Amino acid sequence: MKRPTMADVARHANVSKSTVSQYLNKRYHYMGEETKLRIEKAIQTLGYEANVLARSLKQKKTSTIGVIVANILHVFSTQIIRAIEDVCHEHDFHVIVCNADDDPAKEKKYIQMLRAKQVDGFIVFPTGENKALYEDLLQEDYPLIFIDRLVEGVAVDAFLLDNHAAVQLAVDHFLSKGHERIGIITTSLIHHVTPRVERMDAFGEILKHQAITFGRAYQRGLETRDIKAGLMEMLALEEPPTAILAGNDLALIEILKAVKAYKLRIPEDFALIGIDDIPFAGLFDPPLTTIAQPTFRMGKEAADLLIHKINGVEDLKSSQIHRFPPRLIQRASC
Amino acid sequence: MKRPTMADVARHANVSKSTVSQYLNKRYHYMGEETKLRIEKAIQTLGYEANVLARSLKQKKTSTIGVIVANILHVFSTQIIRAIEDVCHEHDFHVIVCNADDDPAKEKKYIQMLRAKQVDGFIVFPTGENKALYEDLLQEDYPLIFIDRLVEGVAVDAFLLDNHAAVQLAVDHFLSKGHERIGIITTSLIHHVTPRVERMDAFGEILKHQAITFGRAYQRGLETRDIKAGLMEMLALEEPPTAILAGNDLALIEILKAVKAYKLRIPEDFALIGIDDIPFAGLFDPPLTTIAQPTFRMGKEAADLLIHKINGVEDLKSSQIHRFPPRLIQRASC
DNA sequence: CTGTTAGCGCCTTCAT
DNA sequence: ATGAAGGCGCTAACAG
């Protein structure tokens, strides 16, 4: 039994399709009270539901946005997604989320797919290797917003943590606790992923005096699988760091695994701060001191801006970088 | 600059729209080599990309499935979603995920929305309060599959953990460690959510001898916010349990929060096993013994079956309950 | 081997 | 206040 169409409703109510359409779109203008009732009744008895596909085809608008996250394993990504969904829900927009898995080819495929589906705009955590793709989107006036990462030469609105401030916060806290030999470990830098690079650079700059002494030995960007080994190497140095900053949640987890595996003690063997406030941070032993991002606000503001761009109430061509302040959550690991 | 349409490509290549359509759909059959080249070139120079909406409208098929999870906060849900996405990706299907937040009204709204979007089928973690809705779907021959939960009187294929076996596994392990007074804490039972009810029932049945003695005091289904208090009450009993089974990950986390807050010791104060293998289980202090579900297999098999139903290679009307075996992951909390 | 024709379900002037 | 007609972009016979 196939689904009823607008024509069925019209026939049932003895009106024309266009009248039904008016009714559905609340163009009640001067529609007869009795007509409305007849239509409503027909809709009920038939169990009619509009076909969004047909509507979108005609209106050239799907009320759907695409979100491409570089790597959904980051808690940051999942939190941002929640925030985006909240605001979209309010505005009767829908969200399709795709996970590029840090793979530029996948990212490209998903963007094409979502364009084919006629999404009205994009929020993306760019892998960074698809510059031409973003430029295409822009040139076609596709509303586009970046989160967490930038792509050099692509001028779009972007929402990022103030990474320098985040590192500063951590380093200051380490220093206040008397630590002088401070290291940083983060995930791989080879793809020039913005937050990793910015955090690493900020770290080097803030601690340039120690960089002269310890240099690269204290600052490592490694593939996830190599982090445990990298940490142990760092700790095996003649003058090992007494404090370590985990550049993001994935790095933090690897460090915690090593702590467990090698029965290290925190903060006795080394103090630890992680950027990104993972959900279980407070439940660990010891509870973990972290730097939190205002993820909810970031996601909300990004989504608001995108929807405004889609609705034409905001300049399509704006390309500001919106920086958000980090917050230190002091627990016991430092 | 608007996006090019098939007509544009056709004009550019000096062929008709249908020829372009054939080309796109690989109906090359006997198409002239030279024609193909012309079309290909036109597509390239125009940057043409097919409009999936129009295609779907015509074909009455969107190659998209809807997934409605009751509560995305359960790690179980997120793992299942990953598995579903994997198999859909293989079959060139797309997935739209919606989170009902354990709210039947939201669930209903999402199902209607996805139907309006013409998804080809559903995988749902039902809240349980929308029986009529599911019956409608079924009656319209909508491919539908349940995961994790059942709805009484709605005959559809369902993929669930063998909850009795899971509880048995946990209890046996407790017993083997010499525990005789065993309690269970899980999230609220008021909505008759299948896994909670089944686990609680299994628990009562397996430990009926102790149920006579301790009864409800040892078996509690509580709102998340009340779990900490409930645990403390249980521990304050004259004969407190020496072992506690957490009915799911959310209950487990609440228990861990209480452990932290009240400085309890595990397994000295009580032994602990959680159903659902949360990601950080091995990193806790002590590492947590858990009962894992084969989430990946469950998600994969559910998605495979749904796609088969959509493609008509599997009986639409089947309504088997597929049970999956749990697995004990022994760590140190018991 | 390629073009013509007729919709898919809905929306939107423009008449009436 | 309501209806008729055309078209969104694509596909699927059926001709040619």
Side-chain angles (χ1 to χ4, degrees):
Chain A
M1 141 173 149
K2 63 185 276 301
R3 304 190 54 188
T5 139
M6 217 168 71
D8 298 325
V9 176
R11 204 173 316 118
H12 222 80
N14 274 312
V15 294
S16 80
K17 285 195 304 174
S18 34
T19 308
V20 177
S21 175
Q22 323 263 47
Y23 175 81
L24 290 175
N25 294 294
K26 320 266 195 238
R27 310 308 304 142
Y28 290 139
H29 284 325
Y30 304 95
M31 196 179 296
E33 194 56 42
E34 194 249 358
T35 314
K36 288 199 271 188
L37 256 44
R38 279 213 317 279
I39 296 178
E40 180 54 32
K41 194 171 132 259
I43 290 179
Q44 293 300 342
T45 67
L46 293 178
Y48 169 76
E49 236 155 322
N51 182 327
V52 173
L53 252 43
R55 198 213 304 287
S56 297
L57 178 60
K58 183 68 188 180
Q59 295 186 155
K60 298 168 163 309
K61 173 164 195 329
T62 53
S63 294
T64 301
I65 70 166
V67 175
I68 313 239
V69 306
N71 186 339
I72 194 125
L73 294 178
H74 288 287
V75 293
F76 174 74
S77 314
T78 62
Q79 292 170 345
I80 293 278
I81 291 170
R82 289 300 297 266
I84 293 174
E85 281 180 335
D86 276 4
V87 350
C88 285
H89 197 260
E90 272 173 34
H91 294 260
D92 280 308
F93 264 73
H94 303 140
V95 184
I96 302 182
V97 178
C98 301
N99 175 27
D101 241 344
D102 274 327
D103 175 352
K106 247 184 170 175
E107 175 182 37
K108 181 167 185 179
K109 194 188 135 195
Y110 278 132
I111 289 189
Q112 284 170 339
M113 180 277 262
L114 290 173
R115 281 172 51 152
K117 270 187 178 299
Q118 315 298 116
V119 299
D120 295 333
F122 284 102
I123 295 182
V124 6
F125 300 55
T127 63
E129 318 262 316
N130 274 321
K131 188 166 173 231
L133 192 56
Y134 306 128
E135 283 169 341
D136 279 1
L137 287 178
L138 249 36
Q139 198 193 321
E140 290 185 32
D141 287 336
Y142 237 116
L144 171 63
I145 282 178
F146 286 159
I147 290 195
D148 192 47
R149 289 138 95 129
L150 301 170
V151 178
E152 205 168 340
V154 179
V156 309
D157 280 272
F159 293 74
L160 293 87
L161 181 68
D162 182 340
N163 286 303
H164 189 97
V167 174
Q168 186 80 59
L169 222 47
V171 170
D172 285 348
H173 191 63
F174 280 138
L175 293 174
S176 79
K177 295 282 185 171
H179 292 284
E180 301 202 322
R181 300 206 304 274
I182 305 170
I184 182 173
I185 295 184
T186 193
T187 42
S188 172
L189 298 167
I190 58 172
H191 292 299
H192 309 289
V193 175
T194 310
R196 302 177 197 170
V197 171
E198 287 188 349
R199 290 168 198 177
M200 193 58 98
D201 287 352
F203 186 86
E205 191 191 315
I206 292 169
L207 289 171
K208 37 186 174 305
H209 61 280
Q210 85 163 21
I212 295 162
T213 327
F214 305 108
R216 290 297 146 198
Y218 270 33
Q219 302 169 213
R220 315 217 31 189
L222 300 164
E223 293 297 329
T224 313
R225 63 175 171 284
D226 299 327
I227 287 181
K228 284 201 280 285
L231 171 68
M232 298 317 287
E233 277 173 40
M234 209 183 272
L235 294 176
L237 290 172
E238 212 162 305
E239 292 189 288
T242 64
I244 290 178
L245 175 59
N248 61 37
D249 55 346
L250 265 27
L252 179 61
I253 285 170
E254 291 306 307
I255 291 172
L256 291 172
K257 283 186 192 164
V259 165
K260 180 67 77 183
Y262 297 102
K263 301 200 195 311
L264 303 173
R265 290 159 312 153
I266 290 185
E268 292 80 3
D269 289 330
F270 62 92
L272 180 61
I273 295 182
I275 297 183
D276 288 332
D277 187 45
I278 62 175
F280 297 134
L283 292 179
F284 268 97
D285 188 43
L288 270 15
T289 296
T290 58
I291 306 284
Q293 310 197 36
T295 48
F296 191 82
R297 258 184 62 213
M298 294 170 74
K300 175 173 175 8
E301 292 189 18
D304 277 333
L305 178 58
L306 183 65
I307 289 177
H308 283 151
K309 288 196 179 207
I310 290 172
N311 292 337
V313 324
E314 192 78 50
D315 177 19
L316 252 185
K317 296 288 173 215
S318 65
S319 65
Q320 217 184 317
I321 296 184
H322 308 254
R323 290 281 180 179
F324 291 75
R327 188 167 53 89
L328 177 77
I329 301 183
Q330 189 176 347
R331 286 187 276 244
S333 65
C334 174
Chain B
M1 146 173 148
K2 64 185 278 300
R3 303 188 55 185
T5 140
M6 218 169 70
D8 298 325
V9 176
R11 202 174 316 116
H12 223 82
N14 274 313
V15 294
S16 79
K17 284 195 305 175
S18 39
T19 308
V20 177
S21 175
Q22 322 262 48
Y23 175 81
L24 290 174
N25 294 293
K26 320 265 192 234
R27 312 304 306 142
Y28 291 140
H29 284 325
Y30 304 96
M31 196 179 294
E33 194 57 40
E34 194 249 357
T35 314
K36 289 200 272 189
L37 255 44
R38 278 213 318 279
I39 296 179
E40 180 54 31
K41 196 171 130 258
I43 289 179
Q44 293 300 343
T45 66
L46 294 178
Y48 169 77
E49 233 154 323
N51 182 328
V52 174
L53 254 42
R55 198 215 301 291
S56 297
L57 179 59
K58 181 69 188 180
Q59 294 187 154
K60 296 167 162 314
K61 175 167 196 321
T62 53
S63 293
T64 300
I65 70 167
V67 175
I68 314 242
V69 306
N71 187 338
I72 196 132
L73 294 177
H74 287 288
V75 293
F76 175 74
S77 313
T78 62
Q79 292 169 345
I80 293 278
I81 291 169
R82 290 301 297 264
I84 292 173
E85 281 180 335
D86 276 3
V87 351
C88 284
H89 197 259
E90 272 173 34
H91 294 261
D92 280 308
F93 265 74
H94 303 141
V95 185
I96 301 183
V97 178
C98 301
N99 175 28
D101 241 343
D102 273 327
D103 175 352
K106 246 185 171 176
E107 174 182 36
K108 181 167 183 179
K109 192 188 137 195
Y110 277 132
I111 290 190
Q112 283 170 339
M113 179 276 264
L114 290 173
R115 279 171 52 153
K117 270 187 178 299
Q118 316 297 114
V119 299
D120 295 334
F122 283 101
I123 295 182
V124 7
F125 299 56
T127 62
E129 317 261 316
N130 274 321
K131 187 164 174 232
L133 192 58
Y134 306 129
E135 283 169 341
D136 279 1
L137 287 178
L138 249 35
Q139 198 193 322
E140 289 185 31
D141 287 337
Y142 237 115
L144 171 64
I145 282 177
F146 286 160
I147 291 195
D148 192 48
R149 290 138 95 131
L150 301 170
V151 178
E152 205 167 341
V154 180
V156 310
D157 280 271
F159 293 75
L160 293 85
L161 181 68
D162 183 338
N163 286 303
H164 189 98
V167 174
Q168 186 80 60
L169 222 46
V171 170
D172 284 349
H173 191 64
F174 280 138
L175 294 173
S176 78
K177 296 281 186 171
H179 293 284
E180 301 201 323
R181 300 205 306 274
I182 305 170
I184 182 172
I185 294 182
T186 192
T187 42
S188 171
L189 298 168
I190 58 171
H191 292 299
H192 308 289
V193 175
T194 309
R196 302 177 196 170
V197 171
E198 287 188 350
R199 289 168 199 177
M200 193 58 97
D201 288 352
F203 185 87
E205 192 192 314
I206 292 169
L207 288 172
K208 40 185 173 302
H209 61 279
Q210 86 164 22
I212 294 163
T213 327
F214 305 108
R216 290 296 146 198
Y218 271 33
Q219 301 169 214
R220 316 218 30 191
L222 300 165
E223 292 298 328
T224 313
R225 63 176 171 284
D226 299 327
I227 287 181
K228 283 200 280 281
L231 171 67
M232 298 318 287
E233 276 173 40
M234 207 183 271
L235 294 176
L237 290 171
E238 212 162 304
E239 292 189 289
T242 64
I244 291 177
L245 175 59
N248 61 39
D249 55 347
L250 265 28
L252 179 61
I253 286 170
E254 292 306 309
I255 291 173
L256 292 171
K257 284 185 192 165
V259 165
K260 180 66 74 181
Y262 297 101
K263 301 201 194 309
L264 303 173
R265 291 158 312 154
I266 290 184
E268 292 80 3
D269 290 330
F270 62 92
L272 180 61
I273 295 182
I275 297 182
D276 288 332
D277 188 45
I278 62 176
F280 297 133
L283 292 180
F284 267 97
D285 187 42
L288 271 15
T289 296
T290 59
I291 307 283
Q293 309 196 37
T295 48
F296 192 83
R297 257 184 63 214
M298 295 169 75
K300 175 173 174 10
E301 291 188 20
D304 276 334
L305 179 58
L306 183 66
I307 289 177
H308 282 150
K309 286 195 179 207
I310 290 171
N311 291 338
V313 324
E314 191 77 49
D315 178 18
L316 252 185
K317 296 287 173 216
S318 64
S319 64
Q320 217 183 317
I321 296 184
H322 309 253
R323 290 281 180 180
F324 290 73
R327 190 165 52 89
L328 177 77
I329 301 183
Q330 189 175 346
R331 287 187 274 244
S333 66
C334 174

